């Protein structure tokens, strides 16, 4: 899925439980990603959160069991509760030094 460059926000539950979603490109104009936006996208493999993102909700990538790689380029300063919980295939995550806190069960299995 390629989100158009005119999209500035990804809302709550936008792609929840899209089991066929394998790859998504988030444009560099997106500033916020809502709660549960990609929750349960079990075949999603890799995600890059662009530097434009300043707000990210709870459970955004929770239950993305196929997710193996996360690249956080954004200006967020915390990884919120349950953001990547139950991502059982996760093998690589790049956490920038700007991150000052990691929420409860952020990477819980």
């Amino acid at each position: 899925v390629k989100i158009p460059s005119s999209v500035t926000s990804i809302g709550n539950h936008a792609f929840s439980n899209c089991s066929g979603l394998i790859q998504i490109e988030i444009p560099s104009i997106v500033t916020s990603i809502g709660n549960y936006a990609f929750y349960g996208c079990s075949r999603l493999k890799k995600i890059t959160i662009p530097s434009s993102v300043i707000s990210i909700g709870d459970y955004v990538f929770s239950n993305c069991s196929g997710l193996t790689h996360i690249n956080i380029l954004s200006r967020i300063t915390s990884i919120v509760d349950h953001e990547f919980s139950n991502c059982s295939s996760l093998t690589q995550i790049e956490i920038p030094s700007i991150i000052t806190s990691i929420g409860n069960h952020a990477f819980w299995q």
Side-chain angles (χ1 to χ4, degrees):
V1 171
K2 185 173 181 180
I3 298 173
S5 60
S6 58
V7 174
T8 60
S9 175
I10 299 172
N12 296 339
H13 299 278
F15 295 93
S16 285
N17 295 310
C18 289
S19 60
L21 183 63
I22 297 170
Q23 182 179 4
I24 190 156
E25 187 177 322
I26 299 173
S28 60
I29 194 168
V30 169
T31 58
S32 66
I33 301 173
N35 297 329
Y36 297 88
F38 297 98
Y39 177 92
C41 294
S42 58
R43 294 182 62 206
L44 184 62
K45 299 286 184 201
K46 181 179 177 182
I47 191 77
T48 296
I49 303 170
S51 60
S52 57
V53 175
I54 57 174
S55 171
I56 205 164
D58 292 336
Y59 293 88
V60 172
F61 299 102
S62 185
N63 289 341
C64 292
S65 57
L67 192 60
T68 61
H69 180 93
I70 302 162
N71 189 8
I72 302 172
L73 302 175
S74 73
R75 296 177 288 170
I76 59 171
T77 58
S78 64
I79 295 175
V80 297
D81 295 348
H82 296 277
E83 190 166 343
F84 301 104
S85 63
N86 293 317
C87 293
S88 55
S89 298
L90 189 59
T91 58
Q92 185 177 2
I93 181 167
E94 297 169 30
I95 300 175
S97 59
I98 193 171
I99 299 291
T100 58
S101 68
I102 297 176
N104 294 323
H105 306 287
F107 297 96
W108 182 74
Q109 293 301 311

